[in-house]
Amino acid sequence: MPSTPATTTSTSSNFYLTYIKLKFFTKIRRFLQFKTTSKEQFKPSGQPEILIVIEESQNGEMGKEGDKYNRWMVMQKSVKKLHFGSWEEKDVAVKEIKKLAKEDVKRRKLMAELGVIPPLVAMVGGSEVMLRRQRLAVQALVELANGSFTNKALMVEAGILSKLPQKTDNLDGNTRQEFAELILSISSLANTQFNMDSSRIIPFVVSILDSSNSSVDTKCTCLGTLYNTSSVLENSASLATNGTVTTLLRLSSLKEVSEKALATLGNLVVTLMGKKAMEENLMVPESLIEIMTWEEKPKCQELSVYILMILAHQSSIQREKMAKAGIVPVLLEVALLGSSLAQKRALKLLQWFKDERQSKMGPHSGPQVGRVPIDSSPMSPRAVDESKKLMKKIVKQSLYKNMETITSRARLKSLVVSSSSKSLPY
């Protein structure tokens, strides 16, 4: 039955109003929120615009456009309150910014362009009376830093490192963890060309690591920060002179966080100041030798042997300390039961200790120890043979002493374990 003219006019009018509303929301979105999005995404070529509006209406796109527009309005108001509102309004604004920043990286970058980072950084440096507000600001900055190099750089330029609390004992566990997450994210800039003063980060992180109130998760996060900073050669002086080496050696004996601590020590030991600090530390080499016995932690074994290799190379004093600490039996055990990488390193160290007891050393047999005095006469072949026999006797005695333990462990463990330490030379 054909429709009446009135019905037709009413239907056309409703359709036209729906079309106008959809066009309005589409233009608002394009102008305010998606400035970088091309128009072709909203209007495919060869398709009439009226059909696009009908399809969007059928698929519920109008509701999505409304939601996006509402989020934009919330963002706009939050930014305005953060800049010009009262403290109560600022608190509400920070909560909204934190919520919006979680959604996607484009929104995080847009909020940074709107200037939210400097006022948030200023709130981090608040007094103890405003700890709740400080924590809100840190939470928002953690979200804004996620996945955005630019936002991290803006935080450093805004002075976030100078706003770090001098006393971490005043912070509760959750706040300490949130600060640790923020600094870990920012410390990733150390591996870039961005100029960042890591000397401000190190004391703050070490103070959290030395605190008995810090959780294992917080310590792991802080160790990640130290690892990032230790990967830059220029930071070795700050790490070697702030008690960091002692802290790292102490934490390396805790199995929950040992691997990250040892990885950082591995970066430090190849630097002049880092190596010197470790050589002078009273915990070396005993603590590292103890870690070598952790057969359930193959990566820790590999790292500890690596550090001992660097310390022992071309240093008769360090090799003597290691020998007195009982390293040879442990090296024998690792050479038999460790991962393939740990075995290779342990055998290399054993060769050096063997050469240490020989009067003549081949040009490529290991570290050269000093020079033979000019007036000293070479040992006879008989003396050389006796030295070799003595070394074999020492090794055999150590092997027999530990054979029972080694055999029992070997029943439960494969002789070769795959290793993931591909970045190290041995």
Side-chain angles (χ1 to χ4, degrees):
M1 185 178 196
S3 59
T4 62
T7 303
T8 303
T9 302
S10 176
T11 302
S12 300
S13 177
N14 290 336
F15 178 82
Y16 182 74
L17 289 174
T18 302
Y19 172 78
I20 292 298
K21 289 180 181 179
L22 286 169
K23 286 289 293 179
F24 172 77
F25 283 118
T26 301
K27 288 182 178 180
I28 288 294
R29 178 182 65 178
R30 289 176 183 174
F31 180 71
L32 297 177
Q33 191 173 7
F34 296 100
K35 296 182 293 182
T36 59
T37 305
S38 62
K39 293 183 179 180
E40 284 72 17
Q41 291 178 288
F42 303 102
K43 183 180 177 181
S45 58
Q47 186 176 9
E49 187 168 352
I50 186 68
L51 293 180
I52 299 174
V53 176
I54 294 174
E55 289 176 2
E56 287 183 346
S57 178
Q58 291 175 345
N59 295 328
E61 291 295 328
M62 182 176 180
K64 294 181 181 179
E65 296 300 329
D67 291 341
K68 292 179 180 178
Y69 176 71
N70 289 336
R71 283 197 293 272
W72 164 254
M73 294 304 296
V74 171
M75 184 192 305
Q76 192 177 38
K77 291 179 180 178
S78 299
V79 172
K80 183 177 180 181
K81 290 179 181 178
L82 182 64
H83 284 288
F84 308 108
S86 62
W87 280 113
E88 290 73 16
E89 290 176 328
K90 289 178 185 290
D91 290 344
V92 175
V94 173
K95 292 179 181 178
E96 290 295 341
I97 289 172
K98 171 190 169 185
K99 180 180 178 181
L100 292 169
K102 284 184 177 182
E103 296 182 3
D104 60 71
V105 67
K106 289 183 179 179
R107 188 166 285 111
R108 291 193 283 273
K109 292 180 178 179
L110 177 58
M111 285 191 285
E113 292 175 1
L114 294 174
V116 302
I117 289 178
L120 287 173
V121 169
M123 292 174 68
V124 173
S127 64
E128 295 183 7
V129 180
M130 297 186 290
L131 288 179
R132 182 180 62 84
R133 185 170 297 134
Q134 180 189 65
R135 184 179 176 186
L136 278 175
V138 171
Q139 292 172 354
L141 289 172
V142 168
E143 297 297 339
L144 288 168
N146 184 20
S148 175
F149 169 88
T150 302
N151 288 5
K152 297 172 187 177
L154 289 173
M155 292 175 194
V156 175
E157 291 178 353
I160 184 62
L161 301 182
S162 64
K163 302 292 184 180
L164 299 177
Q166 295 182 353
K167 296 181 179 180
T168 59
D169 290 337
N170 298 332
L171 305 176
D172 60 69
N174 292 331
T175 305
R176 194 180 290 115
Q177 171 65 18
E178 289 157 0
F179 264 109
E181 290 176 0
L182 177 61
I183 297 305
L184 173 61
S185 182
I186 292 174
S187 70
S188 63
L189 295 174
N191 297 313
T192 68
Q193 295 180 349
F194 183 81
N195 186 17
M196 183 180 64
D197 185 11
S198 298
S199 62
R200 293 180 177 271
I201 294 177
I202 295 169
F204 176 75
V205 172
V206 172
S207 67
I208 295 179
L209 289 172
D210 289 337
S211 175
S212 59
N213 298 326
S214 299
S215 66
V216 172
D217 289 340
T218 302
K219 289 179 179 179
C220 285
T221 304
C222 290
L223 287 172
T225 300
L226 290 182
Y227 179 79
N228 287 342
T229 56
S230 68
S231 62
V232 180
L233 184 63
E234 290 76 10
N235 295 329
S236 60
S238 298
L239 289 165
T241 57
N242 282 284
T244 311
V245 170
T246 300
T247 299
L248 289 171
L249 286 169
R250 177 176 54 81
L251 291 173
S252 66
S253 298
L254 302 177
K255 293 184 179 182
E256 298 87 351
V257 297
S258 178
E259 186 175 322
K260 290 189 175 182
L262 289 169
T264 305
L265 288 171
N267 285 342
L268 280 177
V269 75
V270 297
T271 66
L272 182 62
M273 296 190 69
K275 183 179 180 181
K276 183 179 179 181
M278 294 185 66
E279 289 175 341
E280 297 174 350
N281 196 285
L282 297 177
M283 300 176 67
V284 177
E286 286 80 3
S287 62
L288 296 171
I289 294 174
E290 174 63 26
I291 294 170
M292 287 170 54
T293 65
W294 296 355
E295 62 181 43
E296 74 279 11
K297 293 281 188 178
K299 186 66 179 291
C300 293
Q301 282 185 320
E302 295 166 4
L303 290 169
S304 60
V305 180
Y306 172 76
I307 295 168
L308 289 169
M309 281 182 62
I310 302 299
L311 293 174
H313 183 61
Q314 294 184 342
S315 176
S316 59
I317 296 176
Q318 292 302 314
R319 290 196 295 275
E320 184 179 357
K321 287 172 62 177
M322 294 176 192
K324 290 181 179 179
I327 193 174
V328 173
V330 179
L331 285 173
L332 285 168
E333 185 174 340
V334 174
L336 288 172
L337 297 175
S339 66
S340 58
L341 183 58
Q343 287 176 354
K344 185 175 181 179
R345 293 172 176 171
L347 289 171
K348 187 73 173 178
L349 259 176
L350 280 172
Q351 181 66 35
W352 291 357
F353 281 103
K354 174 185 174 182
D355 293 340
E356 187 77 15
R357 290 166 174 81
Q358 293 181 351
S359 59
K360 274 191 174 183
M361 298 176 60
H364 304 293
S365 62
Q368 305 298 317
V369 187
R371 295 182 178 179
V372 179
I374 297 175
D375 58 348
S376 62
S377 58
M379 295 182 67
S380 63
R382 180 180 179 182
V384 173
D385 291 338
E386 289 179 353
S387 297
K388 290 182 178 180
K389 290 179 181 179
L390 178 61
M391 184 59 197
K392 289 180 180 179
K393 183 179 179 180
I394 293 173
V395 173
K396 187 177 293 185
Q397 287 175 348
S398 299
L399 182 60
Y400 286 156
K401 182 179 179 181
N402 295 279
M403 188 58 68
E404 184 176 356
T405 303
I406 293 173
T407 305
S408 62
R409 292 177 178 176
R411 294 194 188 105
L412 303 175
K413 182 180 175 75
S414 173
L415 290 177
V416 178
V417 181
S418 61
S419 170
S420 60
S421 301
K422 301 299 183 184
S423 61
L424 300 176
Y426 293 97

